[in-house]
Amino acid sequence: MPNRAAPESAATDIAERLRDGSREALAEAYTHWAGLVYAIALKALQDHHDAEDVTQQVFVSAWRSRETLRIGPDVFPGWLVGIARHRISDVLLGRRRAVRDVTAVAARLDPSEAHPVEEAVDGLFVVHELHHLGEPRGTVVRLFVLEDCTHEEIARQLDMPLGTVKSHVRRGLSRLRHRLEETNYASS
Amino acid sequence: MPHPDDEMLAALASGEPVPAEVTDHVSDCPTCAADIAAVRHVLAVARTVESVPSWDAPPDGVWGAIVAEVDAEPAGDVAPHRSSAPLRTVAQRDTSDGHISPAGTAADAGTAAERRSPHGWMKNKRLLRWTVGAAAAGLLVGILGGRLVDQQPQTGVTVSSVALDTLDTQQRVGSAQVLRMDNRLNLKIETTPLEAPHDEYLEVWLINTDKKRMVSVGILGSGEQAASFPIQPDLLEQGYTIVDISREPLDDKPAHSGDSLARGKLPV
């Protein structure tokens, strides 16, 4: 099956080798996360051609700025998605410039305005990471977040102590939050 | 009490009952409130996703294109090349011809340091004052060498580009692009209108990744949304890849004021 994201230890390993200049690590990163980057770009840009371009640029940028990559357990996919954010913004800015709609650019950059594209990117990334939290935590947190189950319902459904369910939800949410924050740190 | 840990904050954000001292602390702590908002944001955005995509890879040609681009780079160029001749920390402005020349500064970065003198800078300051005034009055046409580029259609090839974000809130305010045309490099800045107070001006810098050296690239007019500046071709190789826009007071200090409006690191 294409593009299954790597377990966490593998993500750290790929990140370390990529930083050290390994082309194989770039290929592995592409295998694991090109689908995520492409899905996000497609959602944000609604155009296959632009989404393919952005995916290409993200991995080329990742290669070129590999030395800025920090190594940590929740860092790597967020770093790639952070680069994707920049490339997506570039495309959106270019489009708006193309129609000379300066007002629209200003409105998009107004912090008081809602950012539907940003939210869509955040949402897809969180859902992707929800499927790669490891088990059984992933199942617990998915039930809580996506199915809107209560802690008690999850405990009954999975035949798991209530305290364990709560602990998984807390840790899972906390990790998702840190992974999402990583998408804001990519510099390129 | 000290800040509750991440898990306690996640518990609170997800609606679990928490001890009263935690709610008391959080109600009065902006740091913890922001942490809780971040967890709630995770919950909120995940719940807006209506259909989960397949996560399938893009068509095969994309990976081929990546390989081609990466292969086009010089072999063995893993560590960034750094110049052995250090430039001065301060901005370098070309004063040799008596004109403010942002083009000359960055393009002559290696030698301008020797030419810069306090006297030259003061002379420059007066010219600068005039230039900024002229820009404000809308009279500035082609005075700054770099701007001439904007009068021609941009046909250059993009070498590198980066978003420019504010340092504190990471809000995007524009972008920087390095364009190659006939073996010459131009740094193109596009921003939302950035305002400088009447006694200050906006200056564009390239800061070295060693965070110690920088060169002045040129002046951005207050409210100006696009400008292009020639840069010395090997600046990027030397590690001058951080694009910075600062607010500079009209004083006699040529160095960076420390008041950065926006920044972005060019991938090289």
Side-chain angles (χ1 to χ4, degrees):
Chain A
M1 194 153 180
N3 282 288
R4 293 294 90 187
E8 213 159 77
S9 56
T12 307
D13 175 60
I14 291 170
E16 279 176 356
R17 287 186 292 120
L18 179 69
R19 195 186 51 181
D20 293 342
S22 159
R23 289 276 296 272
E24 290 73 23
L26 182 67
E28 288 169 46
Y30 187 86
T31 306
H32 291 303
W33 293 290
L36 167 66
V37 170
Y38 183 59
I40 282 174
L42 198 52
K43 177 77 182 175
L45 300 172
Q46 302 287 321
D47 179 277
H48 283 274
H49 183 73
D50 283 347
E52 288 168 24
D53 277 354
V54 163
T55 308
Q56 176 185 336
Q57 289 166 20
V58 166
F59 283 88
V60 171
S61 295
W63 176 254
R64 289 182 179 158
S65 56
R66 60 191 181 275
E67 289 177 4
T68 67
L69 176 54
R70 292 183 302 121
I71 305 298
D74 288 313
V75 175
F76 191 58
W79 183 67
L80 286 175
V81 171
I83 297 174
R85 273 189 201 290
H86 288 305
R87 296 292 89 83
I88 288 167
S89 293
D90 292 343
V91 174
L92 291 173
L93 268 181
R95 284 184 189 172
R96 293 194 156 103
R97 233 179 0 249
V99 295
R100 299 183 179 281
D101 194 349
V102 177
T103 324
V105 177
R108 195 175 70 83
L109 293 165
D110 181 342
S112 64
E113 297 279 315
H115 289 211
V117 171
E118 291 284 306
E119 283 188 4
V121 169
D122 286 359
L124 277 188
F125 179 63
V126 169
V127 167
H128 183 270
E129 295 307 293
L130 262 174
H131 287 88
H132 300 96
L133 275 178
E135 295 303 337
R137 181 172 299 155
T139 303
V140 172
V141 183
R142 280 195 297 279
L143 286 169
F144 185 82
V145 176
L146 300 180
E147 309 293 326
D148 234 349
C149 295
T150 64
H151 295 98
E152 290 76 11
E153 285 165 349
I154 298 168
R156 269 199 303 278
Q157 200 173 324
L158 299 180
D159 195 18
M160 191 181 271
L162 184 59
T164 310
V165 170
K166 286 182 175 174
S167 168
H168 279 313
V169 170
R170 293 173 178 192
R171 287 189 193 162
L173 289 178
S174 182
R175 304 205 66 159
L176 289 172
R177 175 214 151 179
H178 287 296
R179 288 184 193 186
L180 182 59
E181 280 172 352
E182 285 300 324
T183 69
N184 294 319
Y185 297 140
S187 59
S188 52
Chain B
M1 74 172 277
H3 297 302
D5 64 19
D6 278 355
E7 289 182 30
M8 185 58 78
L9 294 174
L12 199 159
S14 58
E16 262 193 81
V18 296
E21 73 231 43
V22 173
T23 39
D24 284 352
H25 168 88
V26 163
S27 67
D28 207 24
C29 174
T31 312
C32 289
D35 287 340
I36 290 166
V39 178
R40 290 200 170 129
H41 178 71
V42 165
L43 287 164
V45 294
R47 287 167 178 166
T48 63
V49 176
E50 283 163 6
S51 62
V52 178
S54 66
W55 312 118
D56 285 339
D60 291 344
V62 174
W63 173 245
I66 293 166
V67 170
E69 269 199 71
V70 168
D71 277 345
E73 291 183 7
D77 188 20
V78 174
H81 171 72
R82 294 214 165 85
S83 166
S84 54
L87 301 172
R88 286 211 186 166
T89 306
V90 298
Q92 291 134 7
R93 290 179 170 79
D94 186 351
T95 61
S96 56
D97 58 3
H99 287 282
I100 295 171
S101 168
T105 43
D108 294 332
T111 53
E114 283 75 43
R115 288 209 295 273
R116 196 179 64 76
S117 68
H119 171 73
W121 170 244
M122 289 309 291
K123 190 168 69 175
N124 241 358
K125 259 323 185 200
R126 282 193 296 275
L127 272 164
L128 182 61
R129 214 179 284 272
W130 180 86
T131 306
V132 171
L139 298 170
L140 185 64
V141 179
I143 290 175
L144 302 180
R147 307 304 165 79
L148 291 170
V149 173
D150 267 351
Q151 296 171 0
Q152 300 160 1
Q154 287 287 2
T155 52
V157 179
T158 303
V159 176
S160 182
S161 67
V162 67
L164 298 175
D165 297 332
T166 57
L167 272 63
D168 47 359
T169 59
Q170 294 290 309
Q171 188 203 336
R172 189 186 164 122
V173 294
S175 65
Q177 249 185 311
V178 176
L179 297 157
R180 182 185 296 282
M181 275 190 290
D182 302 322
N183 291 325
R184 292 167 59 175
L185 285 192
N186 285 300
L187 177 68
K188 186 174 186 196
I189 304 287
E190 294 181 279
T191 67
T192 53
L194 299 172
E195 299 297 335
H198 74 283
D199 56 348
E200 295 187 334
Y201 63 97
L202 303 171
E203 186 157 3
V204 181
W205 306 79
L206 280 174
I207 302 176
N208 197 284
T209 47
D210 67 13
K211 301 279 171 69
K212 292 186 179 123
R213 298 174 289 164
M214 62 178 81
V215 292
S216 170
V217 172
I219 312 292
L220 190 67
S222 181
E224 192 173 36
Q225 286 173 266
S228 200
F229 310 96
I231 57 172
Q232 188 183 329
D234 62 0
L235 275 177
L236 300 182
E237 285 172 26
Q238 292 179 17
Y240 292 85
T241 54
I242 300 166
V243 181
D244 181 277
I245 301 177
S246 72
R247 232 179 349 223
E248 299 289 336
L250 283 167
D251 58 18
D252 59 354
K253 298 184 181 67
H256 193 293
S257 65
D259 184 10
S260 286
L261 287 178
R263 198 172 277 187
K265 184 171 180 299
L266 290 161
V268 179

